[in-house]
Amino acid sequence: MIYAAITGWAKCLPPAILTNADLSSFLDTDDEWITSRTGMKERRISHVPLSTLGHVAACRALAAAGKTAAEVDVIIFGTTTPDQICPNTSSHVQKLLNAQNAACMDLNSACTSFLYSLSVATSLIKTSVFNNALVIGGEVISPLIDWNNRNVAILFGDGAAAFYLEASDEKEGLLAEELGCFADVRDILSVHGWGSIYANRGFHLGYTEWQFEGQEIFRKAVNGMTRATEKVLQKSHITANDIDLVVPHQANARIINAVAERINIPMDKVFVNVHRYGNMSAATVPVAMVEALEEGRILPYNNILTPAFGGGLTWCAHFLKWGERVKPLDEADIELPPCDKSALELVEEMKLAKEIGIHNATHPMFKPN
Ligand code: ACO
């Protein structure tokens, strides 16, 4: 039997930090509301495109695995916010890495994109299509945020992380998953202006307006993550007691608490970093896994559970068995280009660009008030 061991892992977070106080300087909100309703304190705003974040994370993950770019068989980039729809972002990472032997695909299932990508990569390795895979989860969502909408603008941040997977005889890596989607309620989280149906219809691609029913998303998220967890535990013939660490999608601390309570796992077995980064969509779980490793929260042969949900509404839970090594083999000598602006300045620039675009748009949805 072939398994897909995770032998390299790394994150790449843009340096500019947007605090709750920054948000309340231009939105009718405050630190107390954001902290008590979401658990979030700050999030990152990227000064570089997604492919740059993905490239840096990928270089670091390859070093952690002791591999070179030329060895990579396939790059799968899980994201909802590709640099461009065509060509895909994974091909840009291939070019930046000089990973000329790699096939390239992007996968979009919103916030579950990294975990769905992990399923695809593991299956491709288990069926011997490829011997290894570089799986990246990342978002540069800040340019697509409706910065005037306080329901949405407080929630999201930018970031990326990458895993290197390779074929192994050892029973480790992703051992079972449960994937699904509540498409009947797909419209409760819908971003208008972000896709081909909007092109040439008076919309300006990227000038988004979010349809976002927070409370219903909350309920569905808890339901989907709980259901997926119960099924994946059954499939794996284990119970919640056998789980060493839960690394959930970080969309809201209250969602994480509610899921932990329902699946009967104490919070000291749950990794939470939503206060540092907000919801980085596809990047939340891989960044959280990397930080759990850095903090010594993942030990050799640990059983890890990663429940998640996202737009669609997609949901999933993965059961992973970590391998023997919990330390990177090496570090890559690569950093992002320096950022000479504050996060608030980056946001102000995006707001201005969006206002100019909306002013020039012809569709009534984007007419200035
Ligand atoms: N600051 C201050 N007040 C606010 C803010 C804000 N940023 N946002 C909303 N409010 C107000 C509302 O207008 C409302 O006022 P009202 O009572 O006068 O009408 C009040 O606060 C309460 O709003 P609720 O929506 O009831 O607040 P709730 O406790 O449900 O929290 C939240 C809202 C945080 C969005 C929550 O519903 C949630 O986390 N939902 C899930 C969101 C999520 O997971 N998003 C990501 C999914 S997408 C993905 O992962 C790709």
Side-chain angles (χ1 to χ4, degrees):
M1 178 86 180
I2 304 170
Y3 296 95
I6 300 165
T7 59
W9 54 88
K11 65 184 178 182
C12 177
L13 294 158
I17 296 174
L18 189 73
T19 64
N20 291 349
D22 289 332
L23 285 163
S24 57
S25 72
F26 64 90
L27 281 173
D28 181 16
T29 189
D30 56 61
D31 176 57
E32 200 284 319
W33 194 96
I34 300 172
T35 307
S36 62
R37 302 291 175 125
T38 71
M40 295 168 191
K41 285 287 187 189
E42 51 190 49
R43 63 290 291 145
R44 302 296 174 96
I45 303 296
S46 187
H47 63 300
V48 293
L50 179 64
S51 47
T52 308
L53 296 183
H55 171 231
V56 171
C59 287
R60 291 173 178 168
L62 284 171
K67 300 292 174 187
T68 64
E71 291 172 88
V72 178
D73 286 344
V74 61
I75 301 170
I76 308 181
F77 204 136
T79 185
T80 327
T81 54
D83 288 351
Q84 289 171 276
I85 292 167
C86 181
N88 62 17
T89 305
S90 46
S91 63
H92 198 181
V93 173
Q94 194 230 54
K95 188 174 171 188
L96 293 168
L97 283 174
N98 202 14
Q100 65 275 16
N101 300 313
C104 294
M105 63 179 98
D106 289 6
L107 190 156
N108 173 13
S109 55
C111 298
T112 59
S113 298
F114 172 81
L115 290 163
Y116 274 49
S117 299
L118 194 65
S119 288
V120 171
T122 299
S123 298
L124 289 168
I125 291 172
K126 283 184 162 179
T127 51
S128 298
V129 176
F130 296 119
N131 285 318
N132 65 64
L134 191 54
V135 185
I136 307 170
E139 306 282 2
V140 172
I141 200 166
S142 54
L144 296 158
I145 292 293
D146 178 355
W147 287 105
N148 295 319
N149 180 350
R150 68 178 181 173
N151 295 316
V152 171
I154 60 158
L155 294 175
F156 294 93
D158 302 331
F163 279 14
Y164 186 78
L165 274 56
E166 53 189 301
S168 167
D169 296 332
E170 303 296 323
K171 191 174 180 187
E172 62 182 75
L174 171 57
L175 298 186
E177 67 265 70
E178 182 72 23
L179 314 177
C181 180
F182 297 135
D184 55 327
V185 288
R186 66 194 291 278
D187 292 333
I188 64 176
L189 202 184
S190 178
V191 186
H192 300 296
W194 189 351
S196 59
I197 59 166
Y198 302 101
N200 304 321
R201 285 177 173 80
F203 286 80
H204 284 227
L205 277 179
Y207 299 136
T208 55
E209 188 157 308
W210 289 59
Q211 186 176 331
F212 185 87
E213 295 173 33
Q215 291 193 356
E216 189 55 15
I217 299 169
F218 193 117
R219 276 190 285 275
K220 288 286 179 192
V222 173
N223 185 343
M225 290 162 90
T226 304
R227 177 162 138 181
T229 296
E230 286 163 355
K231 288 201 170 170
V232 88
L233 291 178
Q234 267 171 26
K235 271 186 184 174
S236 311
H237 307 292
I238 57 172
T239 69
N241 287 336
D242 298 312
I243 297 298
D244 297 299
L245 190 68
V246 181
V247 185
H249 175 43
Q250 314 274 322
N252 184 323
R254 285 159 55 218
I255 293 179
I256 295 173
N257 285 324
V259 172
E261 195 174 311
R262 285 185 185 209
I263 63 178
N264 211 12
I265 292 189
M267 280 306 289
D268 62 359
K269 281 192 176 185
V270 181
F271 189 85
V272 181
N273 64 0
V274 70
H275 51 290
R276 285 199 281 276
Y277 306 120
N279 181 355
M280 295 181 288
S281 183
T284 64
V285 171
V287 168
M289 292 265 277
V290 171
E291 296 200 336
L293 284 152
E294 288 168 351
E295 294 174 24
R297 298 279 305 272
I298 294 177
L299 300 174
Y301 311 115
N302 267 182
N303 289 333
I304 300 161
L305 182 73
T306 61
F309 76 99
L313 289 175
T314 60
W315 47 263
C316 61
H318 289 62
F319 168 54
L320 301 157
K321 165 78 80 184
W322 204 260
E324 184 181 7
R325 186 164 54 79
V326 290
K327 299 277 177 213
L329 286 177
D330 204 354
E331 283 182 17
D333 187 17
I334 186 164
E335 295 294 337
L336 288 175
C339 175
D340 58 4
K341 296 195 172 87
S342 70
L344 196 52
E345 285 168 339
L346 291 169
V347 169
E348 291 298 344
E349 278 179 8
M350 288 185 275
K351 282 178 65 183
L352 188 63
K354 190 163 168 166
E355 272 156 28
I356 293 167
I358 289 170
H359 185 75
N360 292 333
T362 51
H363 193 280
M365 184 172 148
F366 291 113
K367 282 282 176 212
N369 292 327

